[in-house]
Amino acid sequence: MNNNNFRKSGLAIAMVAAMGASAGANAAIELYNDDGTSFSVDGYFNAFYVNRDDKLNDVRNSDVKMGFLPNTIGFNFSKEMGDLTLGGRSSFWSTINDSLQSPTDTAIDVRQLYATVDGSFGQVLIGKDFGLYARSNIFLDEILMGFGSPGAATGVSFGNIRTGYPYPNPSAQITYRTPDMGGLNVAAGIFEPADTTTTRDANGNITDQGEQSAPRFEAELTYSADLNGVALTGWLNGRHQSSENSTTEIDSQGLGYGLKAAVAGFSLTASGFTSEGDVPVLISDATLASEEDADGYLVQGSYTLGANRFVVSYGETDSDQDDFETENTSFAVFHDVNSNFKLVGEYNMFEQTTKSTGADAAEFDTLALGAVITF
């Protein structure tokens, strides 16, 4: 089976990073493989018992909800045609926390729907996939398959989004990836830009139409090497876009970076980002109002002993954009029952303050106990 399109998908990278290369390689179930054509399915299922202590409001809540990654079903296609391999992936990400709000209506988020063309030249991807900016920052997060900082009352948690890195929004794109060059890989693409300058009146009528005369540009460079038994992975990624109306032009740009080193069961990861005019959570239409700055970092250490992986994590984000400072500290244990079944125990301490006043905006201590099943 040719797995090029699956290996480079967001979910595959996530599972390889969090479960190890052998488990990631077996993540898809092959349903058909004949005469150069293959079809496979992969899935990710998780649920956590979550006990959250809201210290500012003196409220404690218990929930059963998902962790950082939603429950997902993915379909992968591949067909060899001469010197080319045509591929495709569609994945459907769904919440388990909508039954009380809307009992018969389950929200489905299609984060990936793309085709690929692979050859000796590398790969071209067309369609919708995760962005390149902050991509490795999030996919190499040690608590990716855990919980992290709390999100909304329903749906997924936020992991370390807003406490160390922004979200690599799934977006319409045309992206080129080079072949592996001795551990060096480069990806660059054009993306659908966000309309950040259209203004509306109180009734929702457009008063000044925004314009994006160029696409959003994103790129990522990664390098992996083994130096005397130390496995190293480094990355650098970024994006840039402009949006303007009759009176305002907003240039949005960000730079992400990181380094991970692993040896003899120990792993140390340090990553960060800096941005201007770019919301350090997720970019979307009408979310930006200025070219203010933001930056953040994430430092993590882990130790794997047999079937257990122990993680300590700390991240911060400091943002003039939206006027906030956040930090999150996590202690986690991941236990592999087998290559497809994982148990997770995690304790998180999250704080957010308003920069301009120094006032506390949120403070949560969260205990999360869960299970993750992949295939």
Side-chain angles (χ1 to χ4, degrees):
M1 174 184 177
N2 189 303
N3 275 330
N4 284 340
N5 60 304
F6 174 69
R7 286 201 307 268
K8 295 177 181 178
S9 73
L11 183 60
I13 295 172
M15 288 192 291
V16 168
M19 298 182 67
S22 61
N26 296 324
I29 296 176
E30 187 175 80
L31 303 181
Y32 179 84
N33 190 351
D34 187 48
D35 195 26
T37 301
S38 64
F39 173 64
S40 66
V41 178
D42 58 85
Y44 181 93
F45 304 95
N46 74 109
F48 286 78
Y49 164 70
V50 180
N51 188 281
R52 183 169 63 174
D53 183 6
D54 182 344
K55 292 185 172 297
L56 293 187
N57 296 303
D58 194 22
V59 174
R60 184 180 292 272
N61 284 313
S62 289
D63 298 285
V64 176
K65 59 183 298 182
M66 295 177 298
F68 186 25
L69 293 176
N71 288 6
T72 308
I73 291 288
F75 302 93
N76 310 285
F77 310 85
S78 180
K79 184 174 180 62
E80 296 179 7
M81 303 190 71
D83 294 333
L84 300 178
T85 299
L86 305 183
R89 175 171 173 82
S90 58
S91 68
F92 304 89
W93 307 59
S94 179
T95 179
I96 65 172
N97 293 108
D98 53 3
S99 57
L100 298 181
Q101 290 73 35
S102 182
T104 60
D105 183 16
T106 296
I108 297 177
D109 182 2
V110 182
R111 300 191 187 186
Q112 296 172 303
L113 187 58
Y114 62 77
T116 55
V117 180
D118 284 86
S120 59
F121 55 85
Q123 183 193 75
V124 175
L125 179 151
I126 57 173
K128 182 181 182 182
D129 192 18
F130 292 93
L132 300 176
Y133 170 54
R135 187 184 184 99
S136 290
N137 299 55
I138 188 170
F139 289 151
L140 294 177
D141 186 345
E142 290 276 9
I143 62 168
L144 186 69
M145 301 180 81
F147 196 82
S149 68
T154 61
V156 295
S157 63
F158 277 8
N160 281 304
I161 296 172
R162 72 177 173 167
T163 58
Y165 50 69
Y167 181 52
N169 294 54
S171 303
Q173 61 185 272
I174 302 172
T175 296
Y176 168 70
R177 289 176 169 83
T178 65
D180 182 82
M181 299 176 289
L184 177 66
N185 292 271
V186 180
I190 57 174
F191 291 70
E192 175 71 13
D195 180 0
T196 61
T197 52
T198 291
T199 60
R200 300 177 183 271
D201 61 22
N203 297 318
N205 300 312
I206 293 176
T207 58
D208 199 344
Q209 178 65 59
E211 175 185 343
Q212 300 81 47
S213 59
R216 188 166 86 240
F217 299 96
E218 297 197 15
E220 182 174 58
L221 180 152
T222 61
Y223 180 71
S224 298
D226 189 300
L227 300 179
N228 298 320
V230 180
L232 295 174
T233 300
W235 65 91
L236 184 69
N237 50 53
R239 74 174 168 207
H240 174 83
Q241 77 150 64
S242 294
S243 182
E244 61 182 315
N245 57 30
S246 62
T247 61
T248 304
E249 179 177 354
I250 295 178
D251 289 326
S252 307
Q253 51 204 1
L255 180 70
Y257 48 86
L259 178 66
K260 180 172 184 175
V263 60
F266 290 95
S267 177
L268 180 64
T269 305
S271 66
F273 79 96
T274 182
S275 66
E276 177 181 316
D278 194 80
V279 172
V281 180
L282 61 95
I283 189 172
S284 62
D285 287 352
T287 59
L288 305 183
S290 68
E291 293 186 352
E292 293 180 312
D293 298 332
D295 59 74
Y297 68 89
L298 180 67
V299 179
Q300 299 179 312
S302 74
Y303 178 63
T304 300
L305 180 63
N308 301 300
R309 182 166 60 94
F310 305 90
V311 178
V312 178
S313 172
Y314 178 80
E316 288 187 4
T317 291
D318 182 331
S319 178
D320 294 331
Q321 190 78 247
D322 285 351
D323 191 27
F324 70 85
E325 291 180 342
T326 58
E327 61 179 73
N328 189 63
T329 304
S330 300
F331 302 94
V333 179
F334 297 84
H335 174 73
D336 292 333
V337 179
N338 54 50
S339 60
N340 297 93
F341 181 26
K342 186 186 301 289
L343 300 177
V344 184
E346 189 173 322
Y347 191 78
N348 299 279
M349 295 173 287
F350 171 79
E351 295 182 13
Q352 180 169 332
T353 59
T354 302
K355 283 196 66 176
S356 58
T357 65
D360 293 335
E363 185 176 355
F364 299 107
D365 287 357
T366 306
L367 173 67
L369 303 173
V372 177
I373 295 176
T374 62
F375 66 83

